[in-house]
Amino acid sequence: MGAAGDSLGLEGWLQGLDASKLLIALLPVWILGAFIGMLLPRPRWLETSTRFGAYWLSSPSGVLLRRFALAIHGFVIAREVWRHCTIPGTFHAIAAAVWGLLQGKGFDLQLPADTPPHVNALIKDAKATSNDSNTQDVSVAAADWHITEADLQFFQHRVEQDVVIPGAGKWEHMTDLRLDSLTYTAWRRRLPDGKTEYKSTTVADDATAEEFMDFYLDDSSRHTWDTMISDYGVIESGPSNQRCQVVHWLRTFPFSFISQREYVIGRRVWKQNGALYGIMKSIKHPQAPQTSGIVRMDVFYSMWRSRTIPDPKDPSRPACETVLLHHEQFKIPENLSRFAVRHGMAGFVKKMAPAVKAFVTARRQRVDAVKLCSAHVC
């Protein structure tokens, strides 16, 4: 992600825990395991009606076996709860603090930042690269804005340069969608911290990079087709030449195991080598305190490159190719997050396709009207 997050204090350690949602998510797993266990045939030598079975189940070794199975079951549940409640590296930090206490050095607990270490490492490399870059067409305005050139370099390293991330998995193909006015291909990979990163390529027919960028950044339009956006607003605006904004989103998901989520997002646009880059990520902002009872999305980034290419169906007209990199941490077990993304992806794209076409048509009518009006000095 972009700039590294501040270290979390103890008061924010369990932020985002929704015990009821967690129990609901774990309950089907437990019920399924118990049901399968009841269906499995028990070996005849373990039947309590037999002398050997009665001895085995009532003997100390049989009691030990049952206790061991319960311990394993409890460990799996505890592990899911721990992963849900804490940031990767928390256990190591606590262990180091306890070890220091035993050595007489005091209890120095330093909880990890909310930005994964592998992201911070790439950001460090990106900053070094950007300092030596010879690229001249990147605007130097708003150098201290919430979204910086390091964030742009982060995207370029991961997507365009395909930098190897130690410990990360390979990209796995997820889906291919072929619609009337749009094609969409998506992949995912597991990051070193166990979370998931997504990549997609979208080709929108009869659209330019500028038109698609306007479409993607227009929250008022997005609210009409992206039904998960339940509320939105602008918190801060920066230099308009790079469309710098801080926005607030409330998202409501069509899954019972994900409650409403709150986003505070910084976003910015760059133009390089004929392509447009849009960078969005979650940030902290003094004018956006967390809403009580709603989970704040602290780790989120959505970054893309849009460029105009010949339309594959009709080379005489333009098309927009967009490569997007996406990651967010819902603060629920990762297998549920992957399930939600996979099963919500097709519906999202099918809603987006006609919305892009309608937005581009309306935009061209507005632009043509302005040109006609200017020509007649109205």
Side-chain angles (χ1 to χ4, degrees), residues 172-245:
E172 304 171 3
H173 179 263
M174 292 181 65
T175 187
D176 280 304
L177 291 175
R178 298 288 185 266
L179 306 176
D180 291 340
S181 60
L182 184 145
T183 61
Y184 178 86
T185 305
W187 302 263
R188 71 182 178 190
R189 69 176 171 186
R190 188 174 295 275
L191 296 175
D193 60 2
K195 304 302 181 181
T196 309
E197 189 173 55
Y198 299 89
K199 181 176 70 172
S200 66
T201 297
T202 303
V203 176
D205 299 338
D206 194 20
T208 66
E210 290 79 8
E211 291 168 338
F212 194 85
M213 183 67 70
D214 285 352
F215 167 79
Y216 213 67
L217 295 180
D218 191 331
D219 289 343
S220 61
S221 171
R222 185 178 189 130
H223 186 255
T224 63
W225 62 269
D226 184 356
T227 55
M228 290 185 291
I229 301 291
S230 52
D231 193 19
Y232 63 94
V234 177
I235 298 174
E236 179 186 349
S237 296
S240 59
N241 64 322
Q242 290 188 301
R243 306 185 70 166
C244 298
Q245 280 188 327

Side-chain angles (χ1 to χ4, degrees), residues 261-275:
R261 295 297 194 261
E262 178 182 46
Y263 299 71
V264 176
I265 300 170
R267 58 193 186 191
R268 184 175 178 179
V269 175
W270 276 269
K271 185 173 184 179
Q272 278 191 5
N273 302 321

Side-chain angles (χ1 to χ4, degrees), residues 258-333:
I258 305 181
S259 60
Q260 196 173 47
R261 295 297 194 261
E262 178 182 46
Y263 299 71
V264 176
I265 300 170
R267 58 193 186 191
R268 184 175 178 179
V269 175
W270 276 269
K271 185 173 184 179
Q272 278 191 5
N273 302 321
L276 292 177
Y277 293 84
I279 307 295
M280 300 199 310
K281 71 170 188 178
S282 59
I283 65 170
K284 294 180 180 179
H285 197 281
Q287 298 179 24
Q290 183 168 351
T291 305
S292 177
I294 299 180
V295 179
R296 172 70 63 88
M297 296 292 285
D298 302 310
V299 181
F300 163 87
Y301 55 80
S302 191
M303 310 171 172
W304 64 95
R305 181 199 67 201
S306 294
R307 59 184 181 182
T308 303
I309 63 173
D311 192 326
K313 299 176 182 178
D314 182 359
S316 65
R317 64 182 187 178
C320 178
E321 176 200 66
T322 298
V323 180
L324 180 139
L325 184 72
H326 185 90
H327 172 71
E328 55 187 311
Q329 296 183 14
F330 289 101
K331 301 182 181 179
I332 61 175

